Amino acid sequence: MIEFRAATKRFDDGTVAVNELTLTVEPGGITMFVGPSGCGKTTSLRMVNRMVEPTSGTVLVGGRDVRESPRAVLRRGIGYVIQQTGLFPHRTVLDNIATVPLLSGWPRRRARGRAAELLDLVGLPAELGRRYPAQLSGGQQQRVGVARALAADPPVLLMDEPFSAVDPVVRADLQDELLRLQQELDKTILFVTHDIDEAIKLGDRVAVFRTGGVLAQYDEPAALLGRPADDFVASFVGRDRGYRALGFLPAKGVPVGEVATVRLGGSVAAARDALRDGWAVVVDEARRPVGWVSASRLSGVDGEAAVSDELVESGGSLYEVDSPGGRAGSLRGALDAALSSPSARGVAVDADGAVVGSVTAHDVLRALADARQAGEVPS
Amino acid sequence: MRAVLGELIGWFGDPAHWTGPTGVPQRLLEHLGYTALALACALVIALPIGALVGHTGRGGFLLVGLANGLRALPTLGLLTVVVLLAGVGLLPPIAALTVLAVPPVLAGTYAGVRAVDPAVVDAARGMGMREHQVLLRVELPNALPIIFGGVRSAALQIVATATVAAYVAMGGLGRYVIDGLAQLDYPQVLAGAVLVAALAVVLDAAFAGVQRVVSPAGARRSRRGRAGRVSAVRATEPGGTPG
Ligand SMILES: Nc1ncnc2c1ncn2[C@@H]1O[C@H](COP(=O)(O)OP(=O)(O)OP(=O)(O)O)[C@@H](O)[C@H]1O
Ligand SMILES: [Mg+2]
């Protein structure tokens, strides 16, 4: 879908930002460009919509040299999202989103209607359409930026660090949202980030650049973690890459053991009887986990009393087991649930969030060893 | 002092000064007419140049230098030169006042366009706007408050200086000053000065009102930072920001 052929960019001051980049982005899927600051990610990205012209080499989109079409026409067919959002301060959110349809000559009503659809698609309430960008939060602005880029339904989307200016919680939301959107829309997305975790979370394929604009490795995330091409990639991918690689291994071999549960608000005496190895998961009426109670926490409490919030210790991360239609839980999820739990048992939940059992770190590691023996672990 | 004040009040109280071709309403209209004409000429010259230089970022240094050069020209001297070249009539005072008004409009437009967030301009281009669309639909609307600041200060300078028209036998409030001096009629001189000052104050208030109305709602919240820049531009023109 997008093809770089020996594309090189040398700026007037002699800086070589991109050096002989040759790389093919397959249609559909998210391709991540990642690398240290100044390694030429943005420059490479901007060659695709001709915001930067290569000094030598060519860039093709859909099999055609980008230089064949006039800049403005080419750009209207390629979505563009940047970190600072670049929303037009003097236009309402709805008019911002309608920008490209209007430029392409759509009638106003239709463009507005389309913009309203997109507002909904990116998960924003319709009332926000009448506001101005300055009246939105950073996360909302970024969603509007994505909606604006998608308005004319371009097959290709370029995103330059779109989520790096928002706080980690909002960033995680936006990332999940992008994955959901991508499942629905199946665009070809080129996404620049300097955050390797983001690259691995979002990318179907990841291109790691080194300083000087040279491509170091272009691979699937699991392969990047499992087989870094050289020391630079290995160190860039990070210290705990072995642990993070577990995120790509399904946890299907991990046995889900039984776990004691007690109802929030039930009697302390009943809770004491239910404890197993001194611990029980406290659940609400929908069997969703609230936290843990322990023998030591309950000792000395009147048996007639109810299990209240004060007696509950907060739990660790939850491990969502394989559920029909949902994504398979990974070994990383299972291990993290076990390691972060106060009882050393990770709480396993189903797709609705209800407790189905527990896992231990020991079981996870044994499942990993088994998978390795069966040759299921790439190495 | 008291005597002067009394005479001034007496001047304004004389019904003869409020009617006919030399009455206050007529002179006021003339004065405003010169102001409007000179301002229009300055806008026609300075807006496109300022916008273009701001948009391309090329020639900014030259533009700031030119604006400062024009500012240094003495209006009265300029008026004399134009009279010598073109004779008396409407042209010399309007030309001199236009030259006076061009620098603030030019500097305001240039600075306003340059002050638009580069990310916004980048996004506009990346969406597929052509260059003229980037300028007309994104840069100028966002530069409007700063441009307006330049226009406002140009208008005030013209109003205050349009008295020079009287030197070349034209009308306007300057007549009271010139004629009063010639006739040693000081209450009249004073009345002319007071009228000019009052007009300037009223005009400034009117501009302030318009400015509040035209500033787009979306920019209001982010404007605070930029409004600061208007005064910065006025104060630091010599340094300016070359493209
Ligand atoms: N217009 C320009 N003129 C001169 N040099 C430039 C220009 N734009 C970028 N560069 C240089 O080219 C190199 C690559 O820049 P680029 O913006 O592509 O990096 P990046 O990988 O996106 O970095 P970051 O993660 O910091 O955004 C840098 O050394 C940068 O200084
Ligand atoms: Mg960058």
Side-chain angles (χ1 to χ4, degrees):
Chain A
M1 190 70 189
I2 304 171
E3 207 180 329
F4 294 87
R5 289 194 186 152
T8 296
K9 178 65 191 183
R10 180 192 301 273
F11 284 105
D12 294 339
D13 62 2
T15 315
V16 177
V18 182
N19 202 348
E20 299 265 332
L21 175 64
T22 297
L23 176 152
T24 303
V25 176
E26 301 297 338
I30 304 180
T31 298
M32 308 292 292
F33 281 6
V34 66
S37 187
C39 68
K41 308 178 292 289
T42 296
T43 307
S44 306
L45 185 86
R46 286 161 66 90
M47 285 198 237
V48 177
N49 64 357
R50 292 185 69 191
M51 293 296 280
V52 169
E53 299 281 356
T55 318
S56 64
T58 48
V59 178
L60 293 86
V61 173
R64 286 180 56 187
D65 189 330
V66 290
R67 278 169 299 195
E68 280 175 26
S69 12
R71 282 191 188 85
V73 176
L74 175 83
R75 288 170 188 163
R76 284 172 205 170
I78 298 176
Y80 186 51
V81 187
I82 56 177
Q83 180 186 340
Q84 311 87 330
T85 73
L87 295 179
F88 304 137
H90 62 299
R91 290 195 184 166
T92 62
V93 164
L94 217 55
D95 285 343
N96 261 284
I97 300 177
T99 302
V100 181
L102 286 175
L103 284 174
S104 311
W106 292 28
R108 250 206 133 69
R109 278 182 67 100
R110 191 170 147 229
R112 285 261 173 81
R114 171 74 181 150
E117 267 172 52
L118 277 149
L119 203 58
D120 183 54
L121 184 73
V122 299
L124 291 176
E127 310 88 81
L128 287 195
R130 287 189 300 274
R131 292 215 198 149
Y132 288 91
Q135 299 164 328
L136 301 185
S137 73
Q140 290 170 332
Q141 288 182 13
Q142 228 19 286
R143 284 171 195 256
V144 175
V146 172
R148 181 172 68 171
L150 289 171
D153 204 20
V156 174
L157 204 55
L158 306 177
M159 308 183 83
D160 192 354
E161 306 209 24
F163 307 149
S164 29
V166 292
D167 70 65
V169 176
V170 176
R171 187 180 314 147
D173 276 356
L174 290 170
Q175 290 168 344
D176 293 339
E177 194 78 8
L178 181 69
L179 288 173
R180 181 187 66 76
L181 271 179
Q182 171 62 0
Q183 265 192 349
E184 206 169 307
L185 304 175
D186 195 30
K187 302 286 179 193
T188 303
I189 300 179
L190 203 55
F191 190 118
V192 164
T193 179
H194 58 254
D195 176 359
I196 185 69
D197 290 317
E198 184 169 63
I200 283 169
K201 175 175 177 184
L202 298 180
D204 294 306
R205 288 173 79 76
V206 178
V208 182
F209 287 73
R210 73 174 92 241
T211 312
V214 181
L215 182 63
Q217 187 170 358
Y218 182 39
D219 237 322
E220 286 169 8
L224 209 63
L225 292 169
R227 297 182 305 269
D230 56 25
D231 289 348
F232 168 77
V233 178
S235 74
F236 189 77
V237 165
R239 227 173 244 288
D240 44 1
R241 67 185 166 87
Y243 174 64
R244 284 185 297 161
L246 293 179
F248 295 97
L249 295 174
K252 57 181 181 340
V254 178
V256 176
E258 277 182 32
V259 70
T261 58
V262 302
R263 277 285 298 276
L264 189 65
S267 80
V268 166
R272 275 207 197 95
D273 290 343
L275 296 182
R276 180 186 278 232
D277 301 333
W279 290 91
V281 180
V282 181
V283 296
D284 63 11
E285 57 287 356
R287 280 190 65 74
R288 285 184 303 247
V290 182
W292 291 85
V293 283
S294 62
S296 62
R297 197 51 89 84
L298 294 179
S299 73
V301 180
D302 179 11
E304 298 291 300
V307 176
S308 61
D309 283 329
E310 292 92 77
L311 295 173
V312 176
E313 286 184 50
S314 57
S317 62
L318 299 175
Y319 158 56
E320 199 175 315
V321 296
D322 228 344
S323 55
R327 267 199 302 172
S330 66
L331 283 181
R332 181 179 174 176
L335 185 58
D336 194 72
L339 295 178
S340 63
S341 165
S343 70
R345 292 185 159 273
V347 176
V349 294
D350 63 16
D352 299 325
V355 175
V356 294
S358 68
V359 292
T360 64
H362 184 75
D363 289 339
V364 176
L365 294 179
R366 201 168 43 215
L368 177 62
D370 291 349
R372 212 182 273 283
Q373 220 153 39
E376 286 166 16
V377 179
S379 55
Chain B
M1 181 66 206
R2 173 163 289 188
V4 174
L5 204 62
E7 283 180 85
L8 186 63
I9 292 167
W11 193 92
F12 279 114
D14 184 349
H17 292 147
W18 291 91
T19 52
T22 61
V24 172
Q26 175 67 22
R27 291 296 184 217
L28 205 63
L29 276 182
E30 286 166 359
H31 203 93
L32 280 174
Y34 302 149
T35 304
L37 194 58
L39 191 61
C41 291
L43 288 180
V44 167
I45 296 167
L47 267 183
I49 297 178
L52 221 62
V53 174
H55 174 73
T56 59
R58 274 186 223 126
F61 192 67
L62 219 65
L63 178 130
V64 172
L66 179 79
N68 284 323
L70 287 182
R71 231 180 266 257
L73 287 181
T75 303
L76 209 54
L78 192 69
L79 184 67
T80 314
V81 171
V82 185
V83 168
L84 288 177
L85 291 177
V88 290
L90 192 59
L91 177 70
I94 295 301
L97 293 174
T98 300
V99 168
L100 183 75
V102 160
V105 178
L106 202 56
T109 309
Y110 169 73
V113 171
R114 295 303 293 167
V116 177
D117 183 353
V120 170
V121 178
D122 187 73
R125 237 174 235 134
M127 301 278 109
M129 284 195 191
R130 299 176 201 282
E131 288 309 305
H132 70 274
Q133 292 170 324
V134 172
L135 179 61
L136 295 178
R137 299 192 191 179
V138 176
E139 287 177 321
L140 284 179
N142 282 295
L144 215 55
I146 299 185
I147 296 177
F148 200 80
V151 173
R152 182 172 165 184
S153 88
L156 290 181
Q157 287 187 43
I158 299 176
V159 159
T161 318
T163 43
V164 297
Y167 277 108
V168 287
M170 299 301 295
L173 296 172
R175 281 250 66 93
Y176 296 132
V177 180
I178 301 291
D179 294 349
L181 282 172
Q183 300 156 12
L184 302 180
D185 176 0
Y186 295 113
Q188 189 185 348
V189 175
L190 207 57
V194 166
L195 282 168
V196 171
L199 183 60
V201 170
V202 170
L203 200 69
D204 196 41
F207 266 101
V210 174
Q211 188 155 19
R212 200 161 310 138
V213 172
V214 298
S215 52
R220 261 176 220 156
R221 213 166 99 168
S222 56
R223 176 116 334 122
R224 267 172 230 138
R226 294 210 193 127
R229 263 181 248 167
V230 183
S231 43
V233 168
R234 280 198 211 126
T236 61
E237 245 116 30
T241 39

PDB file of all heavy atoms in Angstrom, chain A residues 319-331:
ATOM      1  N   TYR A 319      -6.857 -11.138  35.317  1.00  0.00           N
ATOM      2  CA  TYR A 319      -6.468 -11.929  34.162  1.00  0.00           C
ATOM      3  C   TYR A 319      -7.742 -12.395  33.476  1.00  0.00           C
ATOM      4  O   TYR A 319      -8.529 -13.157  34.046  1.00  0.00           O
ATOM      5  CB  TYR A 319      -5.601 -13.105  34.613  1.00  0.00           C
ATOM      6  CG  TYR A 319      -5.560 -14.270  33.658  1.00  0.00           C
ATOM      7  CD1 TYR A 319      -5.162 -14.090  32.322  1.00  0.00           C
ATOM      8  CD2 TYR A 319      -5.899 -15.554  34.077  1.00  0.00           C
ATOM      9  CE1 TYR A 319      -5.124 -15.160  31.446  1.00  0.00           C
ATOM     10  CE2 TYR A 319      -5.863 -16.628  33.214  1.00  0.00           C
ATOM     11  CZ  TYR A 319      -5.485 -16.424  31.897  1.00  0.00           C
ATOM     12  OH  TYR A 319      -5.457 -17.466  31.037  1.00  0.00           O
ATOM     13  N   GLU A 320      -7.969 -11.889  32.265  1.00  0.00           N
ATOM     14  CA  GLU A 320      -9.184 -12.263  31.547  1.00  0.00           C
ATOM     15  C   GLU A 320      -8.915 -13.540  30.771  1.00  0.00           C
ATOM     16  O   GLU A 320      -8.075 -13.558  29.867  1.00  0.00           O
ATOM     17  CB  GLU A 320      -9.604 -11.119  30.613  1.00  0.00           C
ATOM     18  CG  GLU A 320     -11.047 -11.224  30.186  1.00  0.00           C
ATOM     19  CD  GLU A 320     -11.478 -10.014  29.356  1.00  0.00           C
ATOM     20  OE1 GLU A 320     -11.158  -8.882  29.753  1.00  0.00           O
ATOM     21  OE2 GLU A 320     -12.112 -10.227  28.323  1.00  0.00           O
ATOM     22  N   VAL A 321      -9.585 -14.612  31.124  1.00  0.00           N
ATOM     23  CA  VAL A 321      -9.326 -15.895  30.450  1.00  0.00           C
ATOM     24  C   VAL A 321      -9.963 -15.862  29.069  1.00  0.00           C
ATOM     25  O   VAL A 321     -10.813 -15.035  28.776  1.00  0.00           O
ATOM     26  CB  VAL A 321      -9.887 -17.093  31.243  1.00  0.00           C
ATOM     27  CG1 VAL A 321      -9.184 -17.217  32.565  1.00  0.00           C
ATOM     28  CG2 VAL A 321     -11.386 -16.967  31.439  1.00  0.00           C
ATOM     29  N   ASP A 322      -9.482 -16.802  28.258  1.00  0.00           N
ATOM     30  CA  ASP A 322     -10.013 -16.977  26.920  1.00  0.00           C
ATOM     31  C   ASP A 322     -11.537 -16.942  26.944  1.00  0.00           C
ATOM     32  O   ASP A 322     -12.166 -17.664  27.689  1.00  0.00           O
ATOM     33  CB  ASP A 322      -9.580 -18.362  26.439  1.00  0.00           C
ATOM     34  CG  ASP A 322      -9.004 -18.254  25.062  1.00  0.00           C
ATOM     35  OD1 ASP A 322      -9.224 -17.222  24.418  1.00  0.00           O
ATOM     36  OD2 ASP A 322      -8.340 -19.197  24.642  1.00  0.00           O
ATOM     37  N   SER A 323     -12.106 -16.033  26.161  1.00  0.00           N
ATOM     38  CA  SER A 323     -13.566 -16.005  26.141  1.00  0.00           C
ATOM     39  C   SER A 323     -14.014 -16.001  24.694  1.00  0.00           C
ATOM     40  O   SER A 323     -13.325 -15.451  23.841  1.00  0.00           O
ATOM     41  CB  SER A 323     -14.062 -14.755  26.861  1.00  0.00           C
ATOM     42  OG  SER A 323     -13.472 -13.621  26.270  1.00  0.00           O
ATOM     43  N   PRO A 324     -15.165 -16.612  24.396  1.00  0.00           N
ATOM     44  CA  PRO A 324     -15.603 -16.669  23.007  1.00  0.00           C
ATOM     45  C   PRO A 324     -15.768 -15.264  22.462  1.00  0.00           C
ATOM     46  O   PRO A 324     -16.426 -14.434  23.066  1.00  0.00           O
ATOM     47  CB  PRO A 324     -16.952 -17.404  23.076  1.00  0.00           C
ATOM     48  CG  PRO A 324     -17.354 -17.400  24.504  1.00  0.00           C
ATOM     49  CD  PRO A 324     -16.122 -17.215  25.317  1.00  0.00           C
ATOM     50  N   GLY A 325     -15.126 -14.990  21.317  1.00  0.00           N
ATOM     51  CA  GLY A 325     -15.234 -13.664  20.703  1.00  0.00           C
ATOM     52  C   GLY A 325     -14.254 -12.657  21.253  1.00  0.00           C
ATOM     53  O   GLY A 325     -13.883 -11.713  20.577  1.00  0.00           O
ATOM     54  N   GLY A 326     -13.811 -12.849  22.484  1.00  0.00           N
ATOM     55  CA  GLY A 326     -12.870 -11.896  23.068  1.00  0.00           C
ATOM     56  C   GLY A 326     -11.446 -12.267  22.708  1.00  0.00           C
ATOM     57  O   GLY A 326     -11.187 -13.293  22.086  1.00  0.00           O
ATOM     58  N   ARG A 327     -10.521 -11.405  23.144  1.00  0.00           N
ATOM     59  CA  ARG A 327      -9.122 -11.731  22.875  1.00  0.00           C
ATOM     60  C   ARG A 327      -8.604 -12.688  23.922  1.00  0.00           C
ATOM     61  O   ARG A 327      -8.972 -12.589  25.095  1.00  0.00           O
ATOM     62  CB  ARG A 327      -8.272 -10.459  22.864  1.00  0.00           C
ATOM     63  CG  ARG A 327      -8.138  -9.892  21.469  1.00  0.00           C
ATOM     64  CD  ARG A 327      -6.968  -8.948  21.382  1.00  0.00           C
ATOM     65  NE  ARG A 327      -7.089  -7.839  22.338  1.00  0.00           N
ATOM     66  CZ  ARG A 327      -6.113  -6.967  22.548  1.00  0.00           C
ATOM     67  NH1 ARG A 327      -4.987  -7.068  21.899  1.00  0.00           N
ATOM     68  NH2 ARG A 327      -6.278  -5.992  23.408  1.00  0.00           N
ATOM     69  N   ALA A 328      -7.754 -13.623  23.491  1.00  0.00           N
ATOM     70  CA  ALA A 328      -7.212 -14.592  24.424  1.00  0.00           C
ATOM     71  C   ALA A 328      -6.347 -13.897  25.453  1.00  0.00           C
ATOM     72  O   ALA A 328      -5.631 -12.953  25.143  1.00  0.00           O
ATOM     73  CB  ALA A 328      -6.384 -15.624  23.675  1.00  0.00           C
ATOM     74  N   GLY A 329      -6.438 -14.318  26.701  1.00  0.00           N
ATOM     75  CA  GLY A 329      -5.538 -13.799  27.702  1.00  0.00           C
ATOM     76  C   GLY A 329      -4.125 -14.252  27.379  1.00  0.00           C
ATOM     77  O   GLY A 329      -3.908 -15.301  26.778  1.00  0.00           O
ATOM     78  N   SER A 330      -3.141 -13.441  27.773  1.00  0.00           N
ATOM     79  CA  SER A 330      -1.759 -13.796  27.463  1.00  0.00           C
ATOM     80  C   SER A 330      -1.064 -14.291  28.729  1.00  0.00           C
ATOM     81  O   SER A 330      -1.545 -14.079  29.845  1.00  0.00           O
ATOM     82  CB  SER A 330      -1.023 -12.584  26.917  1.00  0.00           C
ATOM     83  OG  SER A 330      -0.916 -11.612  27.934  1.00  0.00           O
ATOM     84  N   LEU A 331       0.075 -14.940  28.538  1.00  0.00           N
ATOM     85  CA  LEU A 331       0.867 -15.375  29.684  1.00  0.00           C
ATOM     86  C   LEU A 331       1.253 -14.174  30.540  1.00  0.00           C
ATOM     87  O   LEU A 331       1.310 -14.257  31.761  1.00  0.00           O
ATOM     88  CB  LEU A 331       2.140 -16.089  29.200  1.00  0.00           C
ATOM     89  CG  LEU A 331       1.960 -17.524  28.699  1.00  0.00           C
ATOM     90  CD1 LEU A 331       3.310 -18.099  28.282  1.00  0.00           C
ATOM     91  CD2 LEU A 331       1.331 -18.405  29.785  1.00  0.00           C
TER      92      LEU A 331
END
